[in-house]
Amino acid sequence: MIELRCITQLWKDKQLDIYFADESGFSLTPYIPYHWGKKGVQSPIFSKKGVVYNVFGLMSPEQKLVSYLTEGSINSQFIIKALDDFSAKLTKFTVVVLDNAPWHRSRWIQAKIKKWEQKGLFLFFLPTYSPHLNKIETLWRFMKYQWIKSRDYINRKTIQDAIKNILRKFGTEYKIDFSMNY
């Protein structure tokens, strides 16, 4: 995708910041497909229905992460509040890369674009069906399949604490090697 390559080059040239944004839901239903344990010892993986957290995150290639958590739904209004907060803290032109989810492209979002651009925040929408281009998808995958452990699924508090801990320590204790992609 030529436009994304151009934006990435401008980021490499330190002319702007780039953040990849998306949301993900976390629940007490584990994403761990299997578990290694001692032979003959059963270790249950606890499972309970219901959303624990929905997270809207903005992640830079330098692994800076800004996240907004809710136990409610993520919709256009939630995204607007998050981007309003994010745009208020910008120090240089910033491009936020998003997929084409309806709540990312809604009329309410469209109505805010000019105000965000005046603050230096620009939205870039990926082509349809291209989640592989949104780097934050890798963060969600690492969280669900590697970093959140089976012991974190004991109850609401343990999973919430694990999610908050990972989000807080992302870029220091929790890292993703994107060097092959940039």
Side-chain angles (χ1 to χ4, degrees), residues 36-79:
W36 292 101
K38 292 181 182 176
K39 187 175 182 179
V41 177
Q42 292 185 357
S43 298
I45 297 176
F46 301 98
S47 175
K48 295 178 184 146
K49 297 280 185 206
V51 170
V52 173
Y53 270 137
N54 282 316
V55 181
F56 177 68
L58 299 108
M59 182 189 76
S60 76
E62 300 99 345
Q63 301 193 46
K64 291 186 249 170
L65 179 67
V66 180
S67 58
Y68 300 90
L69 290 83
T70 182
E71 291 185 37
S73 297
I74 292 186
N75 55 25
S76 293
Q77 301 311 321
F78 188 88
I79 302 292

Side-chain angles (χ1 to χ4, degrees), residues 98-123:
L98 291 160
D99 62 25
N100 285 284
W103 48 92
H104 295 165
R105 307 256 338 187
S106 72
R107 60 186 160 108
W108 298 288
I109 296 285
Q110 298 301 316
K112 292 288 294 187
I113 287 176
K114 288 221 186 292
K115 288 183 183 179
W116 288 328
E117 288 177 352
Q118 290 169 354
K119 293 181 176 185
L121 176 72
F122 300 85
L123 302 184

